């Protein structure tokens, strides 16, 4: 075994122990440790990715402890897992740096190192969700992820965030309760907890035909549980408050990483535990498809009606999660690839939008209202550019990342014509127009100059890039990430395809 | 055959019923404490289900006594292990929820989540 194959284990342990060590460090050292750990993990995951592509190994199993397959615990890494880990680390690093100034303003200084502990724990549970091959381990890390995310929401102490954290916890606990019940029933039916073993037993049970219905119920329960946790349409009530009022780094990380971790786990369960044939021939994906479509429309309508820019971006997340589930619901390989690509796109774009929106509201007297943003794109130029790029990407303008995933969704729907083709294409078109309405409306407003008298009266100020160097660099890197996803999509799509092929 | 199974597996049925009760309470109760009670009922129901499934009639807990080492003498230890892990998770989650409830109660002097939301909207924070 090559040394680089230890990377998944090292990344999980490194992030977890950095969290534990941060509890005795000062704010400054915790901050540096957090940054260093994220950087190291992204570099290591990149090396693993290169190694896996070079050797053509596809994926391999890493034994945790000394007990072999049916008894011990396992990690499994492949191209897709390594790529996701690297991508998540990059987005997390940029989200942390972009919101650092705001963190100082909004959070008591004594709580800063707690913030870094929570961020480290969130990262470690996310990596564990990406890499683990054991369902019960996945459940435990899902809960750790939930608790860390709840802490990230309520680190900024006011009534709103505590209420948002409570609502988030309630919905998450409903979801993880269902997931736990599903895992226990699956264990009961198959007698295994490791994903690969379950899928063998699953194939036997399905071929035999006796426990078909209990099995489908179990799969349905697990799917619904994870869908609730990742805020699929009818269960998204907690989302706007949680993303809208927490400190900006938390909002960026919650929308781009935490919910994506659950979706990644769900993909893994589809491929590795249940098997694609079984899931595609059941009605479960039909349900996901319909709720995905509803989410795409409803999220956009709510965003149009919203006057608060942060909440508007949060509602847009509901629509984008709808896209991802719609891609699952298509029930084809192409749909799955499009969904995975959209996970990347949404993670890169939504965190950019949150981070640049905060720059815009800061120069508008801290008001989050949409009407006070007039001309803020001139007062904080780099934030304006970031917001414009993010908006164009979400709307789906070519050369930006959102275009590629929308193209992939449309292609996936048309290439295998079923009854799902027309609804997908129509809703995709409507949703694009709705996205354009609320995002371009905001972009036009931030580039509409404000009257000089109003600027003086309300005390708006301009901020140049040399006053906020870290923020500027963050936004530039985010924009570059967006352009890479938008203009260099073929290699990434091929990587996703090989990754998914090695997934089962 | 099916009727006999239905009667024999009453433990699992009770567990699923309790799960439903807990789930519904967590979802629809307005009072935060009642929600947390619902959460605990839901989690405990899962443990009951696991314990019920892990027990094999006539066998002992998997602790070697008197040198008996045959597999047939003991029950499967994994469900018990899962229950222990689950208890740890649910205790920490409950503690977190209770602490959040205390925070909200100190601020708003009520446990009704909807009323808290209404007041927040009025504050316009």
């Amino acid at each position: 075994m090559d040394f680089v194959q230890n990377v998944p284990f090292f990344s999980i342990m490194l992030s977890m122990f950095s969290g534990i060590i941060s509890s005795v460090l000062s704010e400054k050292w915790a901050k540096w440790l957090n940054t260093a750990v994220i950087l190291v993990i992204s570099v290591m995951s990149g090396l693993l990715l290169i190694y896996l592509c070079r050797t053509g190994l596809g994926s391999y199993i890493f034994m945790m402890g000394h007990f072999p397959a049916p008894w011990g615990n396992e990690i499994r890494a492949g191209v897709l897992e390594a790529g996701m880990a690297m991508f998540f680390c990059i987005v997390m690093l940029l989200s942390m740096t972009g919101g650092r100034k705001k963190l100082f303003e909004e959070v008591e200084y004594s709580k800063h190192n707690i913030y870094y502990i929570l961020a480290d724990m969130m990262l470690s549970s996310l990596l564990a969700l990406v890499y683990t091959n054991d369902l019960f381990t996945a459940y435990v890390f899902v809960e750790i992820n939930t608790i860390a995310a709840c802490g990230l929401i309520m680190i900024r102490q006011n009534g709103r965030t505590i209420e948002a954290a409570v609502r988030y916890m309630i919905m998450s606990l409903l979801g993880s309760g269902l997931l736990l019940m599903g895992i226990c029933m699956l264990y009961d039916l198959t007698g295994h907890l490791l994903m690969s073993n379950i899928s063998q037993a699953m194939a036997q049970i399905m071929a035999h035909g006796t426990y078909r219905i209990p099995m489908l119920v179990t799969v349905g329960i697990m799917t619904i549980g994870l869908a609730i946790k990742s805020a699929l349409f009818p269960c998204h009530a907690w989302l706007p408050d949680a993303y809208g009022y927490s400190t900006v780094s938390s909002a960026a990380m919650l929308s781009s990483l935490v919910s994506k971790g659950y979706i990644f786990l769900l993909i893994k369960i589809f491929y590795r535990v249940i098997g694609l044939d079984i899931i595609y021939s059941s009605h479960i994906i039909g349900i996901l498809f319909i709720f995905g479509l509803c989410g795409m429309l409803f999220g956009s309508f709510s965003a149009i009606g919203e006057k608060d820019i942060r909440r508007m971006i949060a509602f847009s997340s509901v629509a984008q999660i709808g896209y991802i589930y719609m891609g699952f619901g298509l029930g084809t390989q192409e749909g799955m690839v499009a969904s995975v690509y959209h996970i990347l796109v949404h993670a890169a774009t939504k965190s950019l939008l949150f981070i640049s929106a905060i720059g815009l509201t800061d120069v508008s007297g801290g008001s989050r209202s949409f009407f006070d943003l007039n001309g803020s794109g001139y007062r904080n130029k780099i934030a304006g550019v970031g917001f414009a790029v993010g908006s164009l990407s979400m709307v789906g303008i070519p050369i930006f990342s959102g275009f590629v995933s929308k193209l992939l969704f449309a292609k996936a729907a048309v290439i295998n014509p079923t009854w799902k083709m027309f609804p997908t294409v129509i809703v995709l078109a409507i949703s694009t127009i709705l996205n354009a309405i609320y995002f371009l409306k905001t972009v036009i407003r931030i580039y509409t100059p404000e009257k000089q008298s109003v600027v003086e009266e309300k005390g708006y100020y301009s901020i140049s890039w040399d006053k906020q160097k870290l923020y500027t660099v963050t936004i530039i890197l985010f924009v570059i990430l967006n352009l890479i996803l938008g203009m260099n999509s073929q290699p990434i799509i091929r990587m996703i395809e090989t990754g998914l092929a090695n997934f089962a | 055959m099916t009727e006999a199974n239905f009667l024999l597996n009453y433990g699992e049925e009770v567990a699923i019923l309790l799960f439903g009760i807990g789930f519904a309470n967590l979802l629809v109760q307005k009072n935060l404490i009642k929600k947390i009670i619902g959460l605990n009922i839901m989690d405990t129901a899962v443990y009951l289900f696991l314990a019920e499934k892990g027990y094999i009639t006539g066998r002992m807990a998997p602790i070697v006594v008197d040198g008996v080492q045959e597999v047939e003498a003991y029950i499967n230890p994994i469900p018990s292990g899962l229950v222990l892990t689950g208890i740890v998770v649910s205790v920490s989650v409950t503690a977190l929820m209770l602490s959040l409830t205390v925070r909200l109660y100190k601020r708003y002097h009520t446990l009704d989540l909807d009323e808290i939301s209404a007041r927040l909207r009025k504050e316009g924070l």
Side-chain angles (χ1 to χ4, degrees):
Chain A
M1 195 177 82
D2 289 310
F3 184 70
V4 70
Q5 294 189 354
N6 291 308
V7 164
F9 171 74
F10 282 155
S11 345
I12 296 169
M13 286 298 147
L14 203 62
S15 45
M16 193 177 277
F17 279 102
S18 72
I20 295 168
I21 294 166
S22 293
S23 59
V24 293
L25 293 180
S26 68
E27 177 274 336
K28 205 174 127 204
W29 285 103
K31 179 176 82 186
W32 282 113
L33 183 65
N34 175 272
T35 313
V37 163
I38 301 174
L39 263 178
V40 168
I41 294 174
S42 59
V43 170
M44 288 197 314
S45 312
L47 288 177
L48 180 65
L49 183 63
I50 293 169
Y51 166 83
L52 285 169
C53 289
R54 279 260 173 84
T55 54
L57 189 61
S59 69
Y60 65 91
I61 282 173
F62 183 91
M63 204 168 80
M64 297 283 284
H66 295 285
F67 294 99
W71 299 285
N73 203 333
E74 277 177 359
I75 275 175
R76 184 164 155 173
V79 178
L80 193 59
E81 286 97 325
M84 274 288 173
M86 184 177 77
F87 183 79
F88 283 158
C89 284
I90 294 171
V91 172
M92 181 167 174
L93 183 66
L94 293 179
S95 307
M96 292 297 277
T97 54
R100 190 150 286 158
K101 204 172 125 224
K102 207 65 194 162
L103 188 69
F104 273 98
E105 289 167 19
E106 287 178 342
V107 178
E108 288 170 47
Y109 189 73
S110 59
K111 292 216 169 70
H112 278 201
N113 77 340
I114 298 176
Y115 190 75
Y116 294 113
I117 298 170
L118 290 168
D120 288 334
M121 284 299 168
M122 201 277 285
L123 179 64
S124 93
S125 55
L126 192 67
L127 290 169
L129 285 184
V130 168
Y131 283 125
T132 184
N133 200 24
D134 182 287
L135 266 183
F136 207 77
T137 312
Y139 164 71
V140 172
F141 279 103
V142 161
E143 290 286 21
I144 295 177
N145 207 341
T146 308
I147 293 172
C150 180
L152 288 176
I153 296 171
M154 57 173 282
I155 196 84
R156 179 185 176 199
Q157 300 269 337
N158 62 32
R160 276 282 197 185
T161 53
I162 299 176
E163 189 242 0
V166 169
R167 287 202 182 272
Y168 174 74
M169 271 314 265
I170 291 166
M171 277 328 263
S172 285
L173 290 172
L174 290 171
S176 47
L178 285 176
L179 177 68
L180 177 63
M181 196 72 209
I183 291 174
C184 293
M185 281 156 79
L186 201 60
Y187 176 65
D188 173 35
L189 285 165
T190 59
H192 289 287
L193 283 171
L194 283 178
M195 295 187 182
S196 344
N197 293 340
I198 295 178
S199 81
Q200 285 164 9
M202 182 81 113
Q204 275 173 16
I205 288 174
M206 284 320 231
H208 204 250
T210 31
Y211 283 100
R212 249 193 134 75
I213 293 168
M215 197 58 122
L216 285 177
V217 170
T218 308
V219 172
I221 286 179
M222 288 167 73
T223 313
I224 294 169
L226 283 171
I228 291 176
K229 286 184 82 81
S230 51
L232 181 61
F233 156 63
C235 319
H236 65 276
W238 54 271
L239 188 143
D241 280 357
Y243 292 4
Y245 298 101
S246 50
T247 183
V248 65
S249 295
S250 305
M253 285 193 287
L254 283 168
S255 64
S256 55
L257 305 177
V258 174
S259 55
K260 301 300 180 299
Y262 304 137
I263 295 176
F264 194 81
L265 180 65
L266 188 61
I267 299 178
K268 214 145 101 166
I269 288 175
F270 280 173
Y271 269 78
R272 211 174 277 170
V273 179
I274 304 161
L276 279 188
D277 300 339
I278 297 170
I279 191 82
Y280 283 168
S281 60
S282 70
H283 292 296
I284 294 167
I285 58 157
I287 294 166
L288 287 185
F289 178 73
I290 289 165
F291 280 123
L293 289 186
C294 295
M296 282 161 72
L297 293 176
F298 183 83
S300 301
F301 278 124
S302 309
I304 288 175
E306 194 57 61
K307 298 281 172 286
D308 176 329
I309 182 167
R310 286 275 297 276
R311 283 173 65 95
M312 183 195 90
I313 303 172
F315 270 120
S316 152
S317 279
V318 177
Q320 306 302 325
I321 299 278
Y323 277 86
I324 296 172
Y325 277 97
M326 186 268 292
F328 292 169
L330 286 176
T332 55
Q333 179 71 24
E334 290 83 11
M336 203 54 112
V337 171
S339 286
V340 175
Y341 200 84
H342 199 69
I343 291 178
L344 303 180
V345 168
H346 181 235
T349 311
K350 197 45 60 76
S351 35
L352 168 65
L353 279 170
F354 272 119
I355 302 254
S356 47
I358 207 74
L360 296 177
T361 53
D362 270 357
V363 293
S364 309
S367 161
R368 307 145 59 96
S369 164
F370 175 72
F371 302 106
D372 292 334
L373 287 176
N374 271 348
S376 54
Y378 297 112
R379 296 196 288 274
N380 188 347
K381 293 206 176 58
I382 189 72
V385 171
F387 195 86
V389 169
S391 302
L392 294 178
S393 166
M394 280 284 99
V395 174
I397 306 289
I399 89 162
F400 297 112
S401 55
F403 171 72
V404 181
S405 61
K406 277 189 183 157
L407 186 69
L408 286 175
F409 278 125
K411 228 158 82 180
V414 178
I415 229 166
N416 292 311
T418 54
W419 63 272
K420 285 170 185 161
M421 181 174 91
F422 283 110
T424 312
V425 178
I426 292 168
V427 173
L428 205 58
I430 296 173
S431 168
T432 304
I433 294 169
L434 296 176
N435 276 343
I437 290 174
Y438 63 86
F439 272 125
L440 296 186
K441 180 177 82 172
T442 318
V443 172
I444 290 169
R445 189 167 277 271
I446 67 174
Y447 282 116
T448 310
E450 181 67 291
K451 285 193 209 90
Q452 196 57 36
S453 58
V454 178
V455 171
E456 277 161 18
E457 181 196 332
K458 292 201 176 172
Y460 295 165
Y461 59 92
S462 298
I463 188 162
S464 59
W465 70 272
D466 53 325
K467 293 268 169 53
Q468 40 169 1
K469 287 185 183 120
L470 189 62
Y471 184 81
T472 310
V473 172
T474 307
I475 297 271
I476 290 171
L477 287 176
F478 261 131
V479 171
I480 292 173
L481 188 64
N482 239 300
L483 291 178
I484 291 174
L485 282 173
M487 299 203 287
N488 192 22
S489 54
Q490 276 313 315
I492 303 172
I493 292 170
R494 264 203 302 279
M495 212 175 272
I496 293 173
E497 276 166 356
T498 43
L500 283 176
N502 291 325
F503 225 45
Chain B
M1 180 66 192
T2 42
E3 283 159 33
N5 268 339
F6 193 76
L7 290 178
L8 276 178
N9 294 333
Y10 66 91
E12 285 87 338
E13 283 142 25
V14 170
I16 296 292
L17 272 178
L18 282 175
F19 183 86
I21 292 169
F23 189 87
N25 268 297
L26 181 55
L27 188 63
V28 299
Q29 285 286 357
K30 278 184 189 164
N31 187 311
L32 279 168
I33 298 291
K34 287 184 184 168
K35 268 189 194 293
I36 297 171
I37 293 172
L39 161 73
N40 278 299
I41 294 174
M42 184 175 85
D43 281 347
T44 315
V46 178
Y47 311 144
L48 176 63
F49 181 82
L50 273 174
E52 195 65 44
K53 277 292 160 201
Y55 182 67
I56 305 168
T57 319
R59 297 196 188 175
M60 289 186 298
I63 304 164
V64 176
V65 278
D66 305 332
V68 182
Q69 290 200 342
E70 285 89 46
V71 181
E72 282 74 29
Y74 302 109
I75 61 164
N76 181 1
I78 293 179
S80 325
L82 298 186
V83 170
L84 283 178
T85 320
I87 287 173
V88 172
V89 171
S90 88
V91 164
S92 46
V93 170
T94 310
L96 181 61
M97 277 297 282
L98 283 170
S99 68
L100 282 170
T101 309
V102 170
R103 277 281 165 84
L104 277 180
Y105 188 74
K106 274 187 182 160
R107 246 169 218 270
Y108 298 101
H109 303 287
T110 172
L111 287 170
D112 187 332
L113 194 55
D114 291 346
E115 199 187 320
I116 293 171
S117 301
R119 247 189 254 180
L120 276 167
R121 231 168 282 137
K122 223 181 279 169
E123 275 177 31
L125 231 158

